[in-house]
């Protein structure tokens, strides 16, 4: 066995760490030598040689298996669209927060929050909210928070309903991050140090060491700060830690422990706003964030994972996690308006008024999941059976801050309540006020809770991956969830106690027909269920996924149900180095809970909506040649409201839905020392409105009210191997300096800005 130093040089600066924490058995088991025990040192050398052949010299863009132990088939034989992003792809793209990683992908867009809710990341997959459908190593990661990739080995985006795996939610899909893990097989260290424009600096340490033959530990440390490109005063800071330990008795038992911590401190930016006169977002809007603005997240999670091989055909897995997050924000909004005629400085003049958006959230959760995998044959049929039991307990406390406005107002504007004093960004001369970051002068203290969400869920599921013969494979899954839900809400001065219990069932049936050993076609049917009030951050705000109706109505409401039909084909070509997939899907959501105000007192039901998303999705990832790596995903989709309590909504598109989207990342290894590449993101035009319902529409002018323009963004990178232990990478973000917007609030009052041009240089040292 070669020394760790020689091993690193033979694999190159990136491939080593990628393959280590992916674990050999999961990522490349299909290619491993027969009877190869991945805990055996001699076997490690054989697997490493396979990886060198399997991937381009320094990076891996192809993974054959999911990191979720419950997905027993190879990805090529899984009857569902799953996009897997490797650690190498993520690093070379220059993206770090999970939000920006996902936002670039086809079929995924971002959403905004009610009243500027800026707790954390919000994703929309195939037109449906997925902000609560985020998982880490197969366990739900509840609450709204900032998520970083420094401790992530790969990101898996499941497209289409997947409640058999995920439980409640997952209407359009789910996101699962696989964390880095300790290994007894390697002793290595790596430091990534970055500097760049906009005061960017980032330091990441990854160190794994075996303590004995049976024990190992791994530490990942993050420290990074930067300003938003071309937005002075908008800042981001992340401090993170992942401590991972492993006990491996080599024969049959492995126990992992993880402690994760992240502290994120940002000055938030609600971006621009939609100008109804020009029907475009306002360009080049000045920075208007105030000195006291903040967006803070503190995340702590402790995880224990146990893997036990009862026999060659029977394996037991348990994952147990306890976590707490504390989130809070105070942010400033901006909208175009005019000074009132009563304004003493510039009556009737155009200006930009400032507003306050704020809230806090505390999350405490416990989850444990038991899985038993049994490989058995019945006659000529080989089964991989999975029996699972899961319990989760989530407590989410939401509230607001008590705000004091210490500076005098500087303008008068007109609104629904008549003429009132306000804070304006633009002075009487049409220029931005001096000391624009201190116009309002707020102080604040934490106020009372206004929504205490609680949900205990017990779930049982069974899945079977059955190989009928050389051509046919069937996947079947069935899951039951029993939920005990409560939410104590303060709404318009009244205290409302919501509580109900419910059982719901979901299933998944997929059939795969292998045309050849390397090509197949498949058909799949899957379902999902959304409960009333399933979004934990919104109390009784029905329009954004909170509770609908009063407590009695809410308890009687039916859950929203989603059905997905998908036909596709998957190909593994070029000696299994390149993966190609194509799929057509139709996703229909029934019993959609709509916000219709007092009308429910006469309607007597909350489930008045129905919508549909259909389209095609194409994917390609892996290695076209020994020098050229690629990851491409493209989606062409249509959305339509099929039924609504407001008949004028029927036929409209869903809000924040991009019908066309494309992501392409290329990498070319010119020689042993130099590689270069880049990525390209295209998102089609979108329209603002409430999530999961019709986009806002102006029937008078027969046009959508809020338009998010389509956009194209290009990023470039280049890698240079300085020595066997040192690599230099340069990333250029948004090289054309395109101004673009990623999402719109339902009124157009704010539209999130994408990052402007940036440059970063990263030095990687392995030891």
């Amino acid at each position: 066995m070669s020394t760790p130093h020689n091993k690193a040089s033979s694999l190159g600066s990136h491939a080593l760490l990628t393959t280590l924490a992916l674990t050999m058995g999961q990522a490349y088991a299909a290619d491993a030598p027969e009877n190869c025990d991945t805990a055996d040192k001699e076997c490690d050398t054989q697997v490493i040689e396979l990886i060198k052949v399997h991937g381009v010299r320094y990076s891996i863009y192809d993974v054959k298996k999911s990191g979720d132990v419950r997905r027993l088939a190879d990805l090529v034989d899984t009857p569902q669209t799953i996009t897997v992003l490797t650690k190498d792809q993520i690093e070379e793209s220059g993206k770090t927060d999970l939000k920006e990683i996902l936002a670039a992908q086809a079929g995924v867009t971002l959403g905004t929050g009610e009243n500027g809710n800026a707790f954390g990341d919000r994703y929309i997959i195939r037109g449906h909210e997925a902000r609560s459908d985020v998982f880490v190593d197969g366990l739900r990661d509840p609450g709204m928070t900032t998520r970083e990739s420094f401790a992530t080995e790969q990101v898996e985006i499941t497209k289409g309903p997947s409640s058999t795996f995920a439980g409640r939610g997952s209407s359009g899909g789910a996101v699962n991050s696989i964390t880095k893990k300790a290994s007894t097989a390697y002793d290595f260290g790596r430091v990534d140090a970055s500097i760049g424009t906009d005061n960017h600096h980032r330091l990441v340490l990854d160190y794994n060491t075996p303590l004995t033959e049976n024990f190992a530990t791994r530490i990942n440390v993050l420290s990074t700060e930067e300003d938003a490109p071309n937005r002075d005063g908008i800042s981001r800071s992340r401090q993170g830690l992942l401590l991972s330990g492993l006990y491996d008795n080599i024969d049959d038992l492995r126990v992992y422990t993880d402690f994760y911590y992240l502290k994120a401190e940002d000055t938030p930016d609600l971006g621009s706003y939609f100008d109804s006169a020009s029907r475009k977002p306002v360009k080049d809007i000045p920075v208007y964030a105030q000195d006291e603005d903040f967006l803070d997240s503190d995340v702590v999670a402790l995880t224990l994972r146990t893997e036990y091989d009862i026999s060659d055909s029977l394996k037991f897995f348990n994952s147990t996690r306890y976590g707490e997050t504390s989130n809070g924000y105070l942010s400033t909004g901006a909208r175009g308006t005019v000074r009132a005629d009563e304004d003493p400085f510039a009556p009737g003049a155009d200006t930009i008024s400032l507003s306050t958006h704020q809230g806090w959230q505390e999350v405490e959760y416990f989850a444990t999941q038991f899985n038993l995998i049994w490989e058995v044959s019945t006659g000529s049929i080989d089964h991989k059976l999975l029996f699972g039991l899961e319990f989760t307990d989530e407590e989410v406390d939401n509230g607001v801050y008590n705000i004091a406005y210490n500076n005098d107002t500087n303008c008068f504007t007109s609104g629904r309540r008549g003429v009132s004093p306000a804070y304006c960004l633009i002075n009487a001369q049409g220029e931005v006020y001096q000391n624009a970051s201190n116009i309002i002068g707020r102080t604040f203290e934490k106020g009372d809770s206004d929504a205490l969400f609680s949900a205990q869920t017990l779930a049982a599921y069974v899945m079977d991956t059955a190989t009928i013969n050389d051509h046919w494979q069937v996947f079947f899954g069935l899951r039951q969830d029993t939920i005990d839900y409560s939410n104590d809400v303060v709404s318009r001065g009244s205290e409302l106690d919501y509580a109900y219990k419910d059982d719901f069932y979901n299933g998944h049936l997929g059939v795969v027909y292998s045309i050849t050993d390397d090509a197949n076609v498949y058909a799949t049917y899957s379902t999902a269920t959304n409960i009333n009030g399933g979004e934990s951050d919104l109390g009784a705000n029905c329009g954004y996924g909170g509770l609908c109706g009063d407590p009695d109505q809410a308890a009687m409401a039916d859950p929203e149900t989603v059905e997905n039909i998908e036909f596709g084909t998957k190909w593994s070509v070029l000696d299994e180095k390149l993966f190609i997939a194509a799929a057509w899907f139709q996703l229909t959501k029934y019993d959609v809970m709509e916000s219709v105000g007092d009308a429910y007192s006469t309607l007597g039901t909350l489930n008045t909506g129905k919508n549909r998303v259909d389209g095609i999705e194409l994917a390609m990832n892996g290695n076209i040649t020994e020098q050229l790596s690629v990851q491409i995903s493209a989606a062409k989709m249509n959305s339509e409201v099929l039924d609504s309590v407001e008949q004028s909504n029927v036929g409209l598109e869903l809000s924040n839905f991009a019908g066309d989207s494309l992501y392409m990342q290329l990498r070319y290894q010119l020689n042993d020392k130099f590689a270069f590449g880049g990525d390209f993101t295209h998102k089609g035009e979108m329209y603002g409105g409430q999530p999961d319902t019709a986009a806002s529409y102006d029937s008078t002018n027969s046009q959508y009210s809020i338009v998010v323009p389509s956009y194209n963004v290009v990023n470039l990178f280049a890698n240079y191997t300085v020595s066997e232990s040192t690599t230099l990478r340069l990333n250029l973000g948004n090289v054309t300096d395109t101004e673009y917007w990623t999402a719109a609030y339902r009124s157009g009052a704010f539209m999130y800005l994408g990052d402007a041009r940036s440059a970063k240089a990263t030095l990687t040292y392995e030891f």
Side-chain angles (χ1 to χ4, degrees):
M1 184 70 178
S2 59
T3 65
H5 178 77
N6 289 336
K7 210 164 25 187
S9 61
S10 67
L11 279 172
S13 60
H14 289 137
L16 173 63
L17 294 185
T18 301
T19 57
L20 298 182
L22 275 173
T23 73
M24 301 301 179
Q26 288 184 358
Y28 295 98
D31 289 332
E34 188 176 0
N35 301 320
C36 178
D37 183 354
T38 56
D40 179 56
K41 299 295 189 291
E42 294 182 2
C43 179
D44 289 339
T45 303
Q46 299 177 61
V47 175
I48 289 170
E49 292 301 318
L50 282 169
I51 294 167
K52 289 168 64 180
V53 173
H54 183 83
V56 173
R57 178 177 172 83
Y58 296 114
S59 289
I60 293 174
Y61 277 44
D62 180 27
V63 174
K64 293 190 178 301
K65 293 188 71 69
S66 166
D68 188 336
V69 298
R70 298 174 299 173
R71 294 194 178 275
L72 303 179
D74 290 350
L75 291 171
V76 71
D77 294 321
T78 299
Q80 191 167 17
T81 301
I82 301 178
T83 300
V84 179
L85 310 175
T86 69
K87 175 176 174 288
D88 289 342
Q89 292 171 260
I90 294 170
E91 288 180 346
E92 291 183 335
S93 74
K95 302 173 179 66
T96 53
D97 277 4
L98 184 61
K99 177 175 68 175
E100 59 181 347
I101 295 169
L102 294 179
Q105 297 300 310
V108 183
T109 54
L110 298 182
T112 66
E114 169 62 17
N115 194 35
N117 186 331
F119 279 134
D121 305 341
R122 304 193 64 176
Y123 323 112
I124 298 172
I125 303 176
R126 286 186 175 175
H128 293 86
E129 277 273 4
R131 71 180 184 272
S132 294
D133 302 322
V134 180
F135 297 78
V136 177
D137 293 323
L139 292 177
R140 189 183 298 273
D141 188 31
M144 299 288 291
T145 189
T146 299
R147 297 177 173 92
E148 235 277 347
S149 63
F150 80 98
T152 300
E153 195 58 57
Q154 66 186 41
V155 174
E156 303 179 359
I157 310 169
T158 301
K159 307 290 184 64
S162 55
S163 282
T164 308
F165 289 90
R168 75 172 191 267
S170 70
S171 295
V175 179
N176 188 26
S177 294
I178 308 301
T179 56
K180 299 175 181 177
K181 297 176 179 63
S183 172
T184 57
Y186 303 94
D187 190 348
F188 70 89
R190 168 174 167 166
V191 176
D192 294 88
S194 305
I195 58 172
T197 57
D198 308 294
N199 298 313
H200 170 85
H201 61 84
R202 180 180 177 90
L203 183 66
V204 180
L205 168 68
D206 187 356
Y207 180 60
N208 182 96
T209 184
L211 303 177
T212 67
E213 183 181 19
N214 303 113
F215 289 92
T217 186
R218 185 172 184 175
I219 182 172
N220 288 267
V221 180
L222 165 72
S223 178
T224 181
E225 292 183 0
E226 67 178 3
D227 296 330
N230 201 33
R231 301 287 288 171
D232 291 341
I234 305 301
S235 61
R236 305 158 184 162
S237 173
R238 310 278 185 270
Q239 310 295 322
L241 173 68
L242 175 68
L243 290 175
S244 177
L246 167 65
Y247 168 73
D248 186 350
N249 75 353
I250 300 176
D251 294 327
D252 51 24
L253 177 65
R254 294 162 299 282
V255 179
Y256 296 90
T257 58
D258 294 341
F259 173 78
Y260 177 82
Y261 170 76
L262 180 70
K263 185 177 184 65
E265 297 178 303
D266 295 0
T267 301
D269 185 8
L270 294 186
S272 187
Y273 59 89
F274 189 74
D275 179 31
S276 57
S278 65
R279 293 192 46 77
K280 295 179 180 179
V282 173
K283 293 186 175 182
D284 301 321
I285 190 167
V287 175
Y288 52 84
Q290 300 296 286
D291 291 337
E292 62 272 14
D293 287 4
F294 70 93
L295 168 58
D296 294 348
S297 291
D298 289 275
V299 182
V300 175
L302 179 63
T303 306
L304 178 68
R305 302 181 186 88
T306 302
E307 303 175 1
Y308 182 62
D309 301 335
I310 300 172
S311 67
D312 290 342
S313 61
L314 195 61
K315 302 181 186 300
F316 170 81
F317 297 87
N318 171 253
S319 294
T320 300
R321 179 176 299 138
Y322 173 81
E324 296 181 0
T325 68
S326 176
N327 310 294
Y329 74 99
L330 174 61
S331 60
T332 301
R335 69 179 183 89
T337 187
V338 296
R339 292 176 181 251
D341 292 339
E342 292 81 357
D343 186 273
F345 306 108
D350 292 336
T351 188
I352 296 175
S353 65
L354 304 180
S355 56
T356 297
H357 309 269
Q358 50 96 2
W360 58 262
Q361 180 191 78
E362 294 180 352
V363 182
E364 182 179 8
Y365 63 97
F366 171 82
T368 186
Q369 183 186 97
F370 300 89
N371 293 293
L372 188 67
I373 298 175
W374 184 27
E375 297 186 20
V376 63
S377 297
T378 55
S380 61
I381 302 176
D382 295 330
H383 299 268
K384 292 182 179 180
L385 289 163
L386 173 70
F387 302 93
L389 188 66
E390 180 177 283
F391 173 76
T392 61
D393 186 357
E394 305 168 43
E395 303 281 345
V396 184
D397 196 3
N398 300 281
V400 295
Y401 295 98
N402 297 322
I403 306 290
Y405 299 88
N406 301 314
N407 293 347
D408 294 334
T409 56
N410 59 9
C411 65
F412 285 84
T413 60
S414 297
R416 288 177 296 178
R417 297 180 179 88
V419 176
S420 59
Y423 295 99
C424 287
L425 181 67
I426 306 298
N427 63 21
Q429 290 73 42
E431 300 174 346
V432 176
Y433 277 105
Q434 292 185 351
N435 301 318
S437 64
N438 192 33
I439 291 175
I440 301 179
R442 294 169 295 214
T443 54
F444 60 92
E445 61 180 11
K446 188 176 180 180
D448 294 334
S449 169
D450 58 19
L452 179 57
F453 171 103
S454 176
Q456 292 82 41
T457 306
L458 180 64
Y461 50 88
V462 59
M463 306 182 202
D464 183 14
T465 301
T467 302
I468 310 299
N469 52 41
D470 291 341
H471 291 286
W472 291 97
Q473 181 176 288
V474 176
F475 171 79
F476 170 78
L478 182 66
R479 176 175 175 133
Q480 178 193 6
D481 288 79
T482 299
I483 187 166
D484 188 350
Y485 177 97
S486 68
N487 206 335
D488 298 334
V489 176
V490 177
S491 178
R492 296 176 175 86
S494 300
E495 294 187 11
L496 302 175
D497 295 331
Y498 291 83
Y500 65 84
K501 296 182 179 180
D502 202 359
D503 297 310
F504 51 89
Y505 301 85
N506 286 286
H508 192 159
L509 176 64
V511 178
V512 180
Y513 176 75
S514 297
I515 303 170
T516 69
D517 290 341
D518 300 318
N520 64 51
V521 293
Y522 69 87
T524 191
Y525 171 84
S526 59
T527 69
T529 302
N530 296 317
I531 63 171
N532 192 355
E535 302 297 350
S536 62
D537 58 314
L538 290 165
N541 189 332
C542 173
Y544 268 77
L547 285 155
C548 295
D550 62 32
D552 291 335
Q553 291 171 327
M556 293 186 296
D558 293 328
E560 299 175 336
T561 57
V562 187
E563 294 182 349
N564 182 61
I565 302 171
E566 182 170 316
F567 297 95
T569 182
K570 296 183 178 182
W571 297 67
S572 184
V573 299
L574 301 181
D575 198 21
E576 298 187 356
K577 293 183 176 66
L578 184 66
F579 172 80
I580 302 173
W584 172 89
F585 63 90
Q586 180 179 278
L587 187 156
T588 307
K589 189 171 186 179
Y590 302 88
D591 293 325
V592 176
M593 299 175 193
E594 296 184 285
S595 178
V596 295
D598 294 337
Y600 278 135
S601 61
T602 56
L603 288 174
T605 176
L606 305 179
N607 307 106
T608 53
K610 179 181 177 182
N611 58 54
R612 175 169 291 163
V613 175
D614 57 46
I616 58 173
E617 187 156 350
L618 308 175
M620 178 187 298
N621 63 277
N623 309 311
I624 296 176
T625 69
E626 287 297 317
Q627 291 75 38
L628 181 61
S629 299
V630 61
Q631 188 236 325
I632 299 175
S633 60
K636 174 74 173 178
M637 303 183 294
N638 301 295
S639 67
E640 182 181 4
V641 174
L642 301 179
D643 198 6
S644 173
V645 69
E646 298 289 348
Q647 285 302 304
S648 59
N649 288 337
V650 175
L652 298 180
E653 290 191 25
L654 295 175
S655 65
N656 287 315
F657 173 87
D660 304 322
S661 56
L662 168 68
Y663 181 75
M664 178 171 60
Q665 184 169 339
L666 300 175
R667 182 188 191 281
Y668 188 78
Q669 186 76 39
L670 185 64
N671 52 45
D672 286 348
K673 287 187 173 293
F674 186 67
F676 62 91
D679 63 83
F680 171 79
T681 298
H682 166 76
K683 289 293 167 70
E685 188 174 80
M686 299 183 290
Y687 309 115
Q690 291 185 167
D692 286 351
T693 190
S696 300
Y697 192 76
D698 180 0
S699 57
T700 302
N701 297 304
S702 300
Q703 59 189 9
Y704 286 97
S705 303
I706 311 298
V707 180
V708 183
S710 62
Y711 64 86
N712 302 304
V713 177
V714 177
N715 307 301
L716 299 176
F717 69 87
N719 297 339
Y720 181 72
T721 303
V722 180
S723 67
E724 292 182 346
S725 60
T726 307
T727 304
L728 180 66
R729 185 178 73 248
L730 176 66
N731 285 95
L732 299 177
N734 192 357
V735 294
T736 59
D737 204 21
T738 299
E739 185 175 18
Y740 66 101
W741 300 267
T742 60
Y745 181 54
R746 60 180 176 180
S747 68
F750 46 86
M751 301 183 70
Y752 292 162
L753 273 169
D755 277 354
R757 182 190 292 130
S758 64
K760 302 171 186 177
T762 302
L763 185 69
T764 298
Y765 177 71
E766 297 173 359
F767 57 93

